[in-house]
Amino acid sequence: MAWNITGRILETCSCKMVCPCWVGPAYPDQGWCIGGFVFDIQEGDSDGVNLGGCKVAIAFDLPGDFFTANGTGRLYIDESASSAQRQELEAILTGKKGGVGDVFLQLIPKWLPTQYTNIDIQQGDNPSITVGSVGHIKLQPIKTQDGRQARLVDAPVLGLFECGSIDLAWGDGSRWLDPELRPWVSGGWGAVVDFAWSGS
């Protein structure tokens, strides 16, 4: 059952700056919260299965904020992943193997069938991600007047995701159009988060 993954999350949602869920309990801009996380896994292992280089996305639709939970979601796993990698990634991120995955299980009790599709991640100064024909995320990092990366530090929900800070970004132009989920366009919020998770 032991697993570990490290990498980067690229996130955007339907809310404006700043996403109230991270500092909640809070009321989302539109009364509901819907968005996506894309995981660019750099290194990882789960019960002997190498997960380095895997790419996964989660789209979620919550009736309120993170604390309200009771959401619906779907995993999208890059089609290049092997059957063993797919099995392990699905188990980790839907909470079947403990660790931070438990947070996703609490947020999203209803999971739609996983889809396997092309996930293209372009890192760099202005990251962009395409998830099959349904998702497109564009992020533009927010900088201070002297050019430093703007960050959100020690917000309450960050602890649940075992992250001390997140890099703030604009998510304008991001959208998700899965016909089985509520369609959405980013209200402006975006973030980049480095993570190192494990479970046993």
Side-chain angles (χ1 to χ4, degrees):
M1 294 289 289
W3 63 271
N4 64 84
I5 52 175
T6 63
R8 176 165 287 182
I9 302 170
L10 302 107
E11 178 213 351
T12 185
C13 76
S14 53
C15 286
K16 302 174 184 177
M17 263 316 156
V18 166
C19 173
C21 286
W22 287 111
V23 294
Y27 188 78
D29 290 352
Q30 302 183 66
W32 40 263
C33 174
I34 182 163
F37 294 106
V38 177
F39 300 84
D40 189 3
I41 299 173
Q42 284 139 29
E43 296 181 354
D45 179 272
S46 181
D47 288 342
V49 177
N50 179 19
L51 301 178
C54 289
K55 294 172 284 189
V56 188
I58 295 178
F60 56 87
D61 184 349
L62 304 175
D65 69 351
F66 280 179
F67 290 87
T68 305
N70 197 33
T72 299
R74 190 194 303 276
L75 278 179
Y76 308 81
I77 299 177
D78 187 73
E79 59 193 4
S80 66
S82 69
S83 59
Q85 289 172 325
R86 294 176 181 184
Q87 179 177 328
E88 295 300 321
L89 291 166
E90 186 168 357
I92 289 169
L93 292 173
T94 59
K96 297 174 183 174
K97 301 195 78 166
V100 175
D102 285 343
V103 178
F104 291 112
L105 181 60
Q106 293 170 31
L107 287 174
I108 308 169
K110 180 183 178 182
W111 289 94
L112 301 175
T114 299
Q115 290 188 357
Y116 307 104
T117 188
N118 179 63
I119 299 178
D120 180 63
I121 300 175
Q122 300 295 321
Q123 294 280 7
D125 292 339
N126 297 290
S128 66
I129 306 100
T130 301
V131 180
S133 61
V134 299
H136 184 61
I137 293 175
K138 296 169 60 179
L139 297 176
Q140 182 178 356
I142 296 175
K143 303 289 187 176
T144 64
Q145 288 185 333
D146 59 359
R148 292 178 293 112
Q149 173 64 53
R151 292 187 171 90
L152 180 65
V153 180
D154 294 333
V157 174
L158 286 175
L160 296 177
F161 288 92
E162 299 180 6
C163 300
S165 67
I166 55 179
D167 292 351
L168 302 178
W170 293 110
D172 299 289
S174 301
R175 62 187 182 276
W176 211 277
L177 301 173
D178 186 322
E180 294 186 81
L181 290 167
R182 186 182 349 221
W184 62 273
V185 175
S186 174
W189 165 258
V192 178
V193 189
D194 291 324
F195 70 93
W197 294 342
S198 62
S200 58

